[in-house]
Amino acid sequence: MSLHPTLQPYADAWTHSIEAISELVQPLAEADWNRRTPCPGWSVRDIVSHVIGLDCEMYGDPRPIHTLPRDLYHVTNDIQRYMEMQVDVRRHHTAPEMTSELEYTVIRRNRQLRNETRQPTTMVRGPLGTELTLEESMRKHAFNVWAHEQDLRAALGRPGNLDSPGAHIARDALLAELPAVVAEKADAPRSSAVVFDVHGPIEFLRTIRVDIQGRGSLETAPALGPAAAFTLDWETYVRLACGRVTAEAVADRVKAEGEPELTTAILRNFAVTR
């Protein structure tokens, strides 16, 4: 393997998730490809199309030239339009076409990763013409593919892999967003602390401390007398943070303590990705 050691965990996580997705969809009947998923407006076929499209772009393929229909209610901004292109272009593909393209894409990407010699700091193309480092690109991609594996599992009633390599990358990615959720979006009081106690296949206890300037930071040390505290399971944490459910829909799975206005504001702003 010529892949840089820093990048290997992301390649391993992607491999684990993409193989799980392939295993999930390979035996599906045509009708099952139309099942609704937790992603608004997207079916099982649409999520697999999205994953194929992401990997084709990671490989370096040009984006499809395609005009989106005007009646896609779930497409409301530029990033959604960008993502929808790879999805809509495959909306009429059959089950065999989908599984064969997925398999071919995985083969090409595996070959690319085996031959990858670039440094983690190499700048690569991102969505909408943005640029980011290869490490950041691979980390985000591993997280995205794992999250969509979970979407497919939810749609198909096949739970699993909540503690896989991709899950650990997702944990770190979602935790990195917590300070902004608490301090900026929810406007937690200055010089306060908010505690998150998560249990399940992945467990952690984290504190967000808000300093006198109103900036949030992530700490592993517990806080005495926090302004708010949340106890919930890992799967619910992921579904909330990825915007797959509302706080009201999982209220029975989240224990929130502290000032009601603050706990409500945090849960209302908990989604950091869609």
Side-chain angles (χ1 to χ4, degrees):
M1 291 288 289
S2 56
L3 193 63
H4 193 282
T6 304
L7 304 177
Q8 192 64 53
Y10 308 126
D12 292 343
W14 170 82
T15 300
H16 193 279
S17 293
I18 204 75
E19 287 179 354
I21 288 174
S22 184
E23 186 179 316
L24 282 169
V25 302
Q26 193 71 41
L28 292 183
E30 194 70 50
D32 290 328
W33 286 83
N34 298 321
R35 286 197 193 188
R36 291 177 61 184
T37 72
C39 292
W42 278 7
S43 65
V44 167
R45 176 184 285 101
D46 294 339
I47 283 187
V48 177
S49 296
H50 174 60
V51 170
I52 290 171
L54 287 175
D55 270 297
C56 285
E57 292 187 28
M58 292 285 284
Y59 188 78
D61 289 350
R63 284 173 52 75
I65 299 172
H66 179 71
T67 303
L68 290 177
R70 296 186 178 183
D71 60 349
L72 298 175
Y73 72 91
H74 58 283
V75 179
T76 59
N77 56 46
D78 286 345
I79 189 66
Q80 288 174 344
R81 276 186 282 276
Y82 182 94
M83 294 301 177
E84 196 72 19
M85 202 72 75
Q86 295 277 13
V87 172
D88 193 67
V89 79
R90 295 176 173 83
R91 279 223 158 91
H92 300 292
H93 287 197
T94 63
E97 287 173 327
M98 293 298 299
T99 53
S100 62
E101 187 181 12
L102 177 62
E103 183 179 357
Y104 177 57
T105 302
V106 171
I107 289 170
R108 290 201 305 158
R109 284 280 287 130
N110 271 321
R111 185 187 303 124
Q112 182 186 37
L113 288 170
R114 282 198 303 271
N115 296 326
E116 181 63 82
T117 58
R118 291 176 293 178
Q119 292 297 305
T121 53
T122 304
M123 300 305 291
V124 298
R125 183 184 69 181
L128 295 173
T130 57
E131 283 200 339
L132 67 170
T133 66
L134 179 61
E135 180 179 359
E136 187 179 2
S137 175
M138 288 184 63
R139 179 171 62 243
K140 286 185 174 183
H141 189 56
F143 169 41
N144 283 336
V145 175
W146 177 83
H148 289 308
E149 177 200 338
Q150 293 304 312
D151 291 330
L152 292 172
R153 289 185 177 280
L156 299 169
R158 296 276 306 278
N161 282 352
L162 283 165
D163 59 350
S164 66
H168 288 84
I169 289 169
R171 175 201 60 195
D172 294 344
L174 295 174
L175 281 173
E177 301 291 338
L178 258 188
V181 167
V182 172
E184 298 170 27
K185 295 179 182 178
D187 197 23
R190 299 184 177 199
S191 301
S192 69
V194 176
V195 173
F196 295 86
D197 186 359
V198 175
H199 57 272
I202 288 184
E203 297 185 341
F204 54 85
L205 179 68
R206 294 291 187 274
T207 300
I208 303 300
R209 292 195 183 275
V210 184
D211 66 17
I212 194 67
Q213 279 83 37
R215 294 177 302 229
S217 60
L218 179 71
E219 297 183 4
T220 56
L224 297 176
F230 298 89
T231 304
L232 66 163
D233 65 274
W234 167 237
E235 183 178 8
T236 301
Y237 185 98
V238 169
R239 293 172 71 198
L240 280 168
C242 291
R244 302 311 195 244
V245 292
T246 63
E248 292 76 18
V250 291
D252 61 325
R253 301 184 67 168
V254 179
K255 181 183 177 184
E257 299 174 288
E259 169 58 42
E261 245 182 69
L262 176 58
T263 58
T264 299
I266 291 171
L267 289 174
R268 188 174 59 240
N269 291 282
F270 207 72
V272 295
T273 182
R274 299 285 179 183

